[in-house]
Amino acid sequence: MDQLYRLAVVQGDGVGQEIVPMGVEVLTRVAQKNGFSFELTNFPFGAGYYRQHGVFMPENGLDTLRSFDAIFFGAVGLPAVDDTLPAMLYTFKVRTAMQQYVNYRPVRLLPGMVSPLRYKGEQDIDFVVIRENNEGEFVQNGRILYRDEPHGLATDTSVFTRRGIERVAHYSFQLARKRRKHVTNVTKSNTLINSLAYWDYVIAEIAEQYPDVTYRTMYVDNAAASFVLRPEVFDVVLTTNMIGDILSDLGGAIMGSLGLGGSGNINPEKNFPSMFEPIHGSAPDIAGKGIANPVGQIWSAAIMLDHLGQPEAAANIMRGIEETMKSGLRTVDLGGNATTRQITDLVLGFL
């Protein structure tokens, strides 16, 4: 009997409602080709759901999602909803509850694409940002006191635990063994002399267990410049929650557009479902026009299949994306006028 995967589909808001169905079409086609299938269940969670019900998901939403093999997610957020709520009430909530402590974001110049870095080609831009996804700067551990008073103050306290650092470090070194055997720890321990000094200390201990992998540290200001000036020096970039959030978007930019980038919020042990999403947001300014770039969503589908144990199907999708980029057809974010449907149809045709 064919392998059956139970997939929770959360389109979310804005362009998520246009690109997620395209990703599902690609998943269905590649599953047929490779001898497995999906049981799909759609959930209306997101900012639109919040406007109707006052919550981003129902009280039993997390328990419901836990029963699936994976979550295929679009984007969350609407202009009419406070921008601090989507992360707190959906994205961070799912990532934490499901122990999705690895945020996996590949940065790669696709065939046929010209990078904004005019002297860099495909051989120069090919690395992965591994962002610690459950701790660090985004734990929202703080408060505001006396907001409107002259003595008002606000705090946010980062949290770094040995266990949290060790597990994401092990994942990064093991990933590097499958790639070019190089890990760069991007840090700022020269100024955050407690939290990130401890981060560096624990990662250096883990590095000793992987003598076959070259390890180095790099301060984030140098790393940001190097993403632009010499991206070829990176293989696996290991970094904190906030630094990774920022640098991976810079990675999307040097690929040509954030619309191209896919990602995975991964629980490597598979004790909980992992969640796969494009790196961009809900883009309400172009929502409903049929012009959103579906490649990031489709790439996220490939990352998901690799995680689920279907590497051949994942590789098929990536070849479809590559051939589509070689065709020269481009969506608006890449300077063209192709529609979401046209790009997806090309990928489906190559599959």
Side-chain angles (χ1 to χ4, degrees), residues 104-291:
Y104 176 102
R105 294 192 174 190
V107 177
R108 179 184 161 209
L109 186 62
L110 294 167
M113 284 294 302
V114 177
S115 171
L117 309 181
R118 56 183 171 171
Y119 299 123
K120 303 298 181 182
E122 290 176 45
Q123 72 281 1
D124 301 308
I125 303 173
D126 183 6
F127 57 92
V128 179
V129 176
I130 300 298
R131 162 191 173 192
E132 197 291 315
N133 214 28
N134 285 168
E135 299 186 349
E137 308 89 344
F138 285 175
V139 295
Q140 300 187 332
N141 177 36
R143 62 187 302 192
I144 299 172
L145 293 173
Y146 316 115
R147 180 192 298 267
D148 299 315
E149 301 297 325
H151 55 288
L153 65 93
T155 65
D156 270 303
T157 303
S158 300
V159 173
F160 291 89
T161 67
R162 173 173 282 277
R163 176 174 178 265
I165 300 167
E166 286 180 344
R167 64 187 185 179
V168 75
H170 278 297
Y171 181 92
S172 299
F173 282 97
Q174 290 164 15
L175 175 63
R177 279 180 165 170
K178 301 174 187 174
R179 291 178 50 89
R180 301 193 304 276
K181 297 187 176 182
H182 196 294
V183 170
T184 303
N185 164 26
V186 175
T187 182
K188 193 59 179 170
S189 51
N190 58 332
T191 51
L192 297 173
I193 60 172
N194 295 300
S195 59
L196 292 194
Y198 187 58
W199 165 270
D200 291 354
Y201 176 77
V202 175
I203 293 173
E205 285 187 344
I206 301 302
E208 292 177 2
Q209 301 176 35
Y210 299 87
D212 55 320
V213 177
T214 301
Y215 171 67
R216 68 172 171 185
T217 61
M218 184 182 290
Y219 293 137
V220 62
D221 33 4
N222 183 16
S226 295
F227 267 40
V228 174
L229 297 175
R230 49 191 192 116
E232 65 275 7
V233 304
F234 297 109
D235 179 22
V236 174
V237 175
L238 166 60
T239 193
T240 71
N241 210 329
M242 186 173 75
I243 293 174
D245 189 28
I246 297 166
L247 284 185
S248 56
D249 276 10
L250 179 56
I254 68 174
M255 289 195 294
S257 168
L258 268 64
L260 296 171
S263 77
N265 303 281
I266 296 173
N267 173 248
E269 297 79 16
K270 300 185 181 178
N271 296 326
F272 300 93
S274 297
M275 180 168 67
F276 301 85
E277 59 178 309
I279 68 170
H280 58 73
S282 56
D285 56 322
I286 63 167
K289 299 180 180 179
I291 59 174

Side-chain angles (χ1 to χ4, degrees), residues 294-308:
V295 170
Q297 190 76 52
I298 296 169
W299 196 339
S300 301
I303 297 168
M304 181 178 75
L305 289 178
D306 202 44
H307 174 72
L308 290 174

Side-chain angles (χ1 to χ4, degrees), residues 25-36 38 305 312-314 316-317 351:
E25 286 188 36
V26 170
L27 283 168
T28 302
R29 179 73 59 86
V30 81
Q32 292 169 348
K33 280 181 60 74
N34 288 271
F36 60 93
F38 289 103
L305 289 178
E312 184 177 345
N316 287 347
I317 290 178
L351 287 175

